[in-house]
Amino acid sequence: VASHLGALANCYNKLGRLQAVAGDFAAAQASYQQGVTIGAKLVAENPTVAEHQSALAESYDSLGIQQSYAGGFDAARSSHARALELRERLAAEHPNVAEHRQALAMSHNNLALLQTNLGELTAARASYQRSLEICGRLAADNPGEAEYQDNLARYLNNLGLLQANTGEAADARESFQRAIKIQEQLVTANPTQLVCQDALASALLNLAVLHAQ
């Protein structure tokens, strides 16, 4: 039964997140792989069900992150590519569903992080720019949605780090300052949310390090 398999895949994904938080990365990778295996079966048997495609993409992205941690960079690239393929399709087929576009931006950011670690800086910059393009539109269209604003700031911060590491100080400063402005607004609107404060502190620190160089 598809609903039962979907619930099982979701359980494996949740278990993987718990294992990753606990530092058991090998176990997390195995759990996400189970999620991928079950999810791929569901998509093959129900190719038009967006929910199954979305869940499979999430499993692939999570698996890719764990594979990267373990040094399996080729496998991680393949997993992120599969997630991107699924999310590109979902965003194209359901253009009015913001969640699909948000997930697509995240997949581009995940791929950019991998490309940065591999020294593929031109490709990483393009991936970051794509995530910013998508998330920027979401944030502009939904100014009251804190999650979109937070994601935009985080992607700007990531791009700023890349620019700083490639000697593009002026561009990095602009990226960090844009991220800081967004995070300051989020902290003002959500003064008890520690995650917003942490993100703001990170962007401020990155800007301070840039100025010190």
Side-chain angles (χ1 to χ4, degrees):
V1 179
S3 61
H4 294 168
L5 284 177
L8 180 59
N10 186 48
C11 286
Y12 274 116
N13 285 338
K14 289 182 177 179
L15 177 59
R17 284 193 289 273
L18 289 172
Q19 291 165 327
V21 169
D24 194 349
F25 301 121
Q29 183 172 332
S31 293
Y32 288 132
Q33 184 62 67
Q34 287 286 350
V36 164
T37 300
I38 297 168
K41 176 179 173 62
L42 277 170
V43 169
E45 295 176 351
N46 306 273
T48 62
V49 179
E51 180 182 356
H52 297 332
Q53 296 179 49
S54 180
L56 177 57
E58 180 181 351
S59 295
Y60 269 122
D61 251 342
S62 298
L63 176 61
I65 291 170
Q66 296 306 317
Q67 290 168 326
S68 181
Y69 286 159
F73 298 119
D74 288 340
R77 189 196 305 277
S78 177
S79 294
H80 287 312
R82 289 290 292 121
L84 265 175
E85 178 185 348
L86 288 161
R87 284 175 166 160
E88 289 276 14
R89 184 189 311 154
L90 285 168
E93 293 177 352
H94 307 277
N96 295 322
V97 180
E99 289 79 4
H100 293 324
R101 287 182 287 154
Q102 180 187 23
L104 177 59
M106 183 184 69
S107 283
H108 278 292
N109 180 72
N110 289 339
L111 179 59
L113 290 170
L114 173 64
Q115 291 165 330
T116 299
N117 289 335
L118 293 175
E120 300 171 0
L121 302 184
T122 299
R125 182 181 288 103
S127 295
Y128 280 136
Q129 293 288 4
R130 182 65 178 133
S131 71
L132 286 168
E133 177 186 340
I134 298 167
C135 196
R137 285 200 300 267
L138 282 171
D141 293 342
N142 304 273
E145 185 61 54
E147 187 174 2
Y148 298 153
Q149 306 295 328
D150 180 62
N151 286 342
L152 178 59
R154 291 175 187 276
Y155 300 158
L156 281 165
N157 192 51
N158 289 344
L159 176 62
L161 288 171
L162 173 65
Q163 292 165 328
N165 289 332
T166 54
E168 303 165 80
D171 289 337
R173 184 177 301 109
E174 180 182 355
S175 295
F176 290 144
Q177 288 173 339
R178 288 178 62 194
I180 288 167
K181 181 178 180 180
I182 295 170
Q183 293 293 0
E184 285 177 337
Q185 293 171 344
L186 288 173
V187 168
T188 299
N190 306 275
T192 63
Q193 293 293 321
L194 293 179
V195 66
C196 295
Q197 298 176 36
D198 287 345
L200 173 58
S202 176
L204 286 167
L205 177 60
N206 289 334
L207 182 60
V209 170
L210 179 68
H211 285 161
Q213 292 176 346

